[in-house]
Amino acid sequence: MTEFIQKIHLIPSFGSAVLSGVSLEREEHKVQVSLITDTAYTEDDEKRAQSIARQFVPEEFECRLTISKLTPDEGMVARRIMQVLDQSNKALSCLVTQDDVCVRKTEGGFDFTVSVIANTVVSEGVAERIIAELKRSFCGEFTGRCVKSEKKIESIEVEEERENIEYVIPVRTFKVRDFVRIEGDGVPQDAVYLSDVNFESENVVVCGTIEAIEERKYNRKKDNQEKTYFSITLSDTTAMLRFTYFPRMSTIEKIRKLQQGDSVVCSGKTEIFNGAVRFTAKYIDYGNPPEGFVPVKRASKPAPKYYSSVFPQSYSDFSQTDIFTRPELPECLKNNTFVVFDLETTGLNSSPSAGNMDRIIEIGAYKISGGEINESFSTFVNPQRKLSEEIIKLTGITPEMVEGAPTFEQVMPDFFKFCQGAYLVGHNIAGFDFKFVDYYCAQLGYQLERKLYDTIPLSQELLFLSNYKLNTVADHFGITFNHHRAVDDALVTAKIFIELIKLKKSLPKYM
């Protein structure tokens, strides 16, 4: 590995690149090599890096190289230092807060100091251990030290433990019926709901109807022999699963007889690859879900006890408290809570079954309670993928804005907590925004209640306009805003929703 990274560093763009991982898939004959760099690189640089990686992987294995760019800021470095202390030195981490960590950007990286109480015993190597972990996490050079502080132990306030309790949602299963063997060596009894296949396991059984099946060819690398494989899409009404299946010579003709509409049961394994779950079928047989199968609603993780990445802020607007001009609000507005939200995303694909699901890059939300907008929730979200020029131009959101932002894994638990006990409101919420938050919450075990109010059909019912785009409805009510930014669109939608309910004087049936 040392020789490999030395050769990678000879490419100017990868002079400070870090090897973040190497994984071997024996059955697939694939090696995955992952690099992290903090500088821009060209397509030629990537090809050179791929060529170097190829030199270190045996010929019979396919070599894949992935490159990600990570540029930390002072806050990210400080948070990582606190994590290292918490993991490696519990006694010291109890006496150090993030205010005691000072991070300064230097020409080649960062320099830090950790202030510790004067009479605290600090073991040797603490700073070195922090530096080593920072170099594993980020690119660049790091220097740092522990210094004595004048703060006394008596002055430290012991805070309440604010750790969220991890809760694992059990997967749902159903009984397999009408089993007929094609090639398997056992009789599967239970199959996992396809929507619950989000974990790694060596033994997973799924069952459903074939939505698509296609026979394809590939050349095996070790001997260049042409081989057959099948691309299959399966549905059990809870989700769709697309997977690749490599048949055995003894059963390939039976597999070729399978067609769209056939119900099969597949045994295999799952693994996490590039953040997504991949299913590999070992055996395919005939089998059906229970007759009249109705999916059992999946239990949700409880909302986290504490916010951890995104903290709501109080919101006030003078016009909301103008008692001289503001008409009396309907009781339905005053007696319920609503979260009005809007998203910006990497694209328009809101269905994982349609291919590569797009990612959220910004969430803007406002809470209405007591008939007033009184709380906001706003954050960029790191999509961990490149933003298109079209999205940058449309939203004004640049790669620099999202690079240091929390990922959806960090954001969605906080957003789920923010939405607890509230109806959800949006402009085209049912057709777009809810699909994204529902999907990404579900990936983490959080199930949002589908109690939605959409301001588009509500506007169509109550107003007579040339169209019902957000800016057109806003103009009708004399509301100005910066369109195509989630936080601004959410606020204007909240104001529009209040005006529409004041006109209707009741809540419509939620969607």
Side-chain angles (χ1 to χ4, degrees):
M1 290 305 164
T2 302
E3 185 182 354
F4 166 71
I5 203 65
Q6 286 175 344
K7 287 193 174 185
I8 290 293
H9 284 170
L10 294 177
I11 303 173
S13 298
F14 297 137
S16 59
V18 173
L19 179 65
S20 62
V22 178
S23 61
L24 171 65
E25 303 172 39
R26 292 186 183 278
E27 292 187 8
E28 302 280 333
H29 284 270
K30 294 176 183 176
V31 173
Q32 175 73 42
V33 181
S34 301
L35 290 176
I36 297 177
T37 182
D38 62 348
T39 56
Y41 57 90
T42 66
E43 187 175 341
D44 287 341
D45 294 334
E46 187 173 0
K47 288 180 180 178
R48 286 181 62 188
Q50 174 69 49
S51 176
I52 293 171
R54 177 72 267 179
Q55 297 171 22
F56 289 84
V57 174
E59 206 171 277
E60 63 269 23
F61 286 86
E62 179 184 345
C63 177
R64 290 181 178 177
L65 176 70
T66 59
I67 305 168
S68 56
K69 179 183 173 184
L70 180 59
T71 305
D73 57 23
E74 290 89 338
M76 293 171 65
V77 174
R79 287 192 293 273
R80 182 63 183 134
I81 291 171
M82 292 299 296
Q83 290 172 354
V84 174
L85 287 176
D86 185 59
Q87 294 163 2
S88 63
N89 196 321
K90 287 283 187 183
L92 183 58
S93 68
C94 291
L95 303 175
V96 175
T97 69
Q98 197 150 328
D99 290 338
D100 298 317
V101 179
C102 178
V103 179
R104 182 177 60 86
K105 189 167 180 58
T106 63
E107 185 175 346
F110 295 87
D111 181 75
F112 68 86
T113 57
V114 178
S115 298
V116 297
I117 298 168
N119 55 355
T120 303
V121 177
V122 180
S123 59
E124 293 184 6
V126 171
E128 287 75 9
R129 190 177 302 116
I130 293 172
I131 291 170
E133 290 301 323
L134 290 175
K135 287 184 175 180
R136 287 190 183 95
S137 303
F138 308 118
C139 294
E141 292 300 317
F142 295 89
T143 56
R145 65 210 64 80
C146 295
V147 298
K148 298 295 182 180
S149 167
E150 296 302 319
K151 183 168 63 174
K152 296 180 180 179
I153 286 183
E154 295 80 25
S155 67
I156 297 177
E157 294 182 7
V158 179
E159 293 187 358
E160 176 189 357
E161 180 64 42
R162 297 181 65 84
E163 183 177 353
N164 285 316
I165 298 172
E166 188 61 33
Y167 181 82
V168 179
I169 302 294
V171 298
R172 296 167 295 172
T173 62
F174 58 76
K175 295 292 182 182
V176 176
R177 67 179 178 91
D178 304 331
F179 176 81
V180 177
R181 189 185 313 281
I182 294 178
E183 59 175 357
D185 56 2
V187 181
Q189 301 295 318
D190 300 288
V192 176
Y193 283 35
L194 291 182
S195 59
D196 291 8
V197 180
N198 56 6
F199 56 90
E200 285 189 309
S201 175
E202 289 295 319
N203 185 23
V204 178
V205 176
V206 296
C207 178
T209 303
I210 295 176
E211 297 293 328
I213 181 168
E214 182 180 356
E215 183 175 336
R216 298 177 179 176
K217 302 289 184 181
Y218 74 101
N219 289 327
R220 190 164 61 188
K221 289 210 168 189
K222 65 179 181 180
D223 55 11
N224 202 35
Q225 184 179 352
E226 187 178 74
K227 306 292 287 184
T228 296
Y229 73 95
F230 291 87
S231 175
I232 301 173
T233 301
L234 202 66
S235 169
D236 68 354
T237 74
T238 71
M240 287 190 179
L241 177 68
R242 184 165 56 193
F243 61 91
T244 299
Y245 170 71
F246 297 89
R248 295 166 178 77
M249 291 302 298
S250 59
T251 56
I252 187 171
E253 293 304 323
K254 294 181 179 179
I255 300 300
R256 280 177 172 146
K257 292 180 181 179
L258 293 174
Q259 56 187 330
Q260 184 179 4
D262 286 344
S263 187
V264 295
V265 56
C266 306
S267 305
K269 70 173 185 177
T270 54
E271 56 189 335
I272 307 295
F273 183 76
N274 283 346
V277 175
R278 182 168 63 184
F279 175 74
T280 303
K282 296 179 182 178
Y283 304 110
I284 297 181
D285 300 292
Y286 289 108
N288 288 284
E291 191 170 356
F293 172 60
V294 177
V296 175
K297 185 177 179 181
R298 190 178 191 188
S300 176
K301 273 186 183 179
K305 189 175 181 181
Y306 304 106
Y307 291 103
S308 58
S309 296
V310 184
F311 297 84
Q313 304 294 318
S314 61
Y315 173 84
S316 61
D317 185 337
F318 178 76
S319 65
Q320 295 187 117
T321 57
D322 186 353
I323 61 174
F324 297 105
T325 60
R326 190 168 180 243
E328 184 62 26
L329 292 172
E331 291 297 316
C332 60
L333 260 181
K334 294 192 291 186
N335 297 336
N336 290 290
T337 301
F338 309 87
V339 167
V340 187
F341 73 95
D342 188 80
L343 308 177
E344 300 301 338
T345 62
T346 57
L348 300 178
N349 181 16
S350 60
S351 173
S353 63
N356 195 11
M357 177 91 169
D358 276 302
R359 300 287 183 90
I360 300 170
I361 56 175
E362 186 186 17
I363 297 179
Y366 287 85
K367 186 171 289 184
I368 302 172
S369 56
E372 293 185 354
I373 306 169
N374 51 28
E375 203 171 3
S376 69
F377 180 103
S378 175
T379 183
F380 289 119
V381 184
N382 188 342
Q384 298 178 301
R385 66 173 61 166
K386 186 177 180 181
L387 300 183
S388 68
E389 290 300 323
E390 181 183 2
I391 290 299
I392 294 171
K393 184 177 180 180
L394 177 67
T395 65
I397 298 173
T398 65
E400 291 74 23
M401 291 177 179
V402 298
E403 276 180 2
T407 61
F408 86 87
E409 291 93 343
Q410 297 167 299
V411 171
M412 300 319 289
D414 289 338
F415 184 68
F416 183 77
K417 178 176 175 63
F418 187 71
C419 293
Q420 287 302 283
Y423 293 100
L424 302 182
V425 182
H427 203 71
N428 192 28
I429 184 174
F432 188 78
D433 302 273
F434 182 75
K435 291 181 178 180
F436 279 95
V437 297
D438 184 49
Y439 175 81
Y440 285 112
C441 277
Q443 296 304 297
L444 306 175
Y446 298 105
Q447 303 298 318
L448 284 163
E449 283 197 72
R450 189 184 172 89
K451 293 184 176 181
L452 314 178
Y453 291 120
D454 198 322
T455 51
I456 289 182
L458 194 54
S459 298
Q460 292 169 334
E461 175 190 344
L462 299 170
L463 307 176
F464 298 95
L465 305 174
S466 59
N467 64 67
Y468 296 91
K469 295 178 181 178
L470 185 62
N471 57 329
T472 303
V473 181
D475 288 344
H476 174 80
F477 288 114
I479 304 169
T480 58
F481 69 111
N482 177 25
H483 197 17
H484 293 308
R485 281 297 306 275
V487 66
D488 299 300
D489 287 4
L491 180 57
V492 74
T493 303
K495 293 179 178 180
I496 287 172
F497 179 70
I498 290 174
E499 294 302 322
L500 290 171
I501 299 304
K502 281 161 58 177
L503 288 174
K504 187 174 177 63
K505 300 188 181 345
S506 65
L507 293 174
K509 184 178 179 180
Y510 57 75
M511 304 182 75

